[in-house]
């Protein structure tokens, strides 16, 4: 980044070269630095300079960093959401243990308060939940039955504030899900079009 030419030297090579001048194994940073300079001064033709990353590789790295940041932010937000639900609507977590998919988040934003949800008839619930995609009739019935059986309805002065917070956090996770999808697409596209994609793919775990 500073514009210097950089070389990589195998530590064993440096040790062997070091033995020309001393036999002691004592660590000496100043001597080692002089040793490395002598190696490059006398045998530089044997070494290949490290190439600076291409613009495409730097773009790929930035996309990956963005994706990691978004995933960490989603995890933090989901933890806050779970904490809020545990304080006033734990039965929701009993049915939807994983809050990462979009379905439970849409259900929560539509039905954030357990008391109001339990007061709905099957027909009223089905009508209000009609716009939630990927929520089959069978699963809707199972959800409503579970909440009515498991939810403990009591006077909770914090419910209004907690339910509003839960809705806001659920919307944030939905937005983060969309951004994570876009970041994943950017990583995939940049990776596939890179001229060294085959080399990247050959690295275990890459």
């Amino acid at each position: 980044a500073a514009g210097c030419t950089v070389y990589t030297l195998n530590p064993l090579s440096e040790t062997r070269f070091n033995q020309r001048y001393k036999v002691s194994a004592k660590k000496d940073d100043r001597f080692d630095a002089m040793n490395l300079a002598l190696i490059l001064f006398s045998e530089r033709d044997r070494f290949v300079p490290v190439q600076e990353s291409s613009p495409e590789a730097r773009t790929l790295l930035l996309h990956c960093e963005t994706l990691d940041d978004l995933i960490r932010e989603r995890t933090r937000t989901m933890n806050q959401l779970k904490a809020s639900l545990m304080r006033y609507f734990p039965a929701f977590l009993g049915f939807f243990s994983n809050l990462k998919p979009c379905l439970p988040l849409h259900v929560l934003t539509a039905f954030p308060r357990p008391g109001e949800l339990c007061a709905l008839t099957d027909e009223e619930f089905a009508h209000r939940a009609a716009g939630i995609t990927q929520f089959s009739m069978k699963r809707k019935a199972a959800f409503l039955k579970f909440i009515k059986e498991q939810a403990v309805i009591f006077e909770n002065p914090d419910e209004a504030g907690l339910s509003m917070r839960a809705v806001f956090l659920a919307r944030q996770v939905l937005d983060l899900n969309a951004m994570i999808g876009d970041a994943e697409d950017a990583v995939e596209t940049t990776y596939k079009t890179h001229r060294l994609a085959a080399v990247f793919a050959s690295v275990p775990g890459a």
Side-chain angles (χ1 to χ4, degrees):
C4 300
T5 302
V6 179
Y7 295 86
T8 59
L9 280 73
N10 189 301
L12 290 177
S13 300
E14 191 273 339
T15 301
R16 299 292 184 269
F17 197 91
N18 191 358
Q19 292 171 350
R20 299 182 186 183
Y21 302 102
K22 71 173 185 176
V23 295
S24 171
K26 181 180 178 181
K27 181 68 176 174
D28 185 333
D29 289 341
R30 290 175 62 87
F31 181 85
D32 290 342
M34 181 197 72
N35 203 30
L36 293 171
L38 287 172
I39 292 174
L40 286 176
F41 181 76
S42 60
E43 304 179 27
R44 185 179 305 179
D45 293 344
R46 293 178 49 229
F47 302 98
V48 178
V50 176
Q51 294 184 1
E52 185 180 3
S53 295
S54 67
E56 294 81 9
R58 291 197 296 273
T59 299
L60 179 58
L61 176 61
L62 287 170
H63 286 335
C64 290
E65 290 175 349
T66 299
L67 178 59
D68 287 342
D69 290 343
L70 289 171
I71 291 174
R72 282 194 290 268
E73 182 63 29
R74 181 176 64 182
T75 300
R76 284 193 293 267
T77 307
M78 283 195 305
N79 288 338
Q80 295 177 44
L81 177 56
K82 288 179 181 179
S84 294
L85 289 172
M86 286 298 298
R87 291 178 62 183
Y88 86 101
F89 199 178
F92 189 91
L93 292 174
F95 191 85
F96 290 112
S97 58
N98 183 8
L99 299 179
K100 187 185 300 182
C102 293
L103 174 58
L105 301 170
H106 286 304
V107 174
L108 180 60
T109 55
F111 306 100
R113 306 185 71 165
E116 294 178 358
L117 176 57
C118 291
L120 295 175
T121 65
D122 293 351
E123 293 75 17
E124 290 171 336
F125 174 77
H127 177 73
R128 288 181 54 178
I132 303 177
T133 58
Q134 299 179 340
F135 203 19
S136 65
M137 292 300 297
K138 182 178 180 180
R139 202 167 186 204
K140 288 176 184 177
F143 171 73
L144 184 60
K145 182 175 182 295
F146 180 88
I147 297 300
K148 287 187 175 182
E149 291 177 351
Q150 300 295 326
V152 179
I153 308 303
F154 61 96
E155 193 69 28
N156 185 352
D158 296 331
E159 181 175 311
L162 289 170
S163 61
M164 178 178 290
R165 178 189 295 177
V167 170
F168 291 162
L169 291 171
R171 289 174 180 170
Q172 287 183 36
V173 177
L174 285 169
D175 290 341
L176 287 166
N177 281 345
M179 288 186 282
I180 287 171
D182 292 341
E184 288 175 338
D185 291 342
V187 170
E188 184 88 6
T189 301
T190 308
Y191 171 75
K192 286 183 175 179
T193 57
H194 196 282
R195 61 185 178 85
L196 296 177
V199 178
F200 297 156
S202 70
V203 179

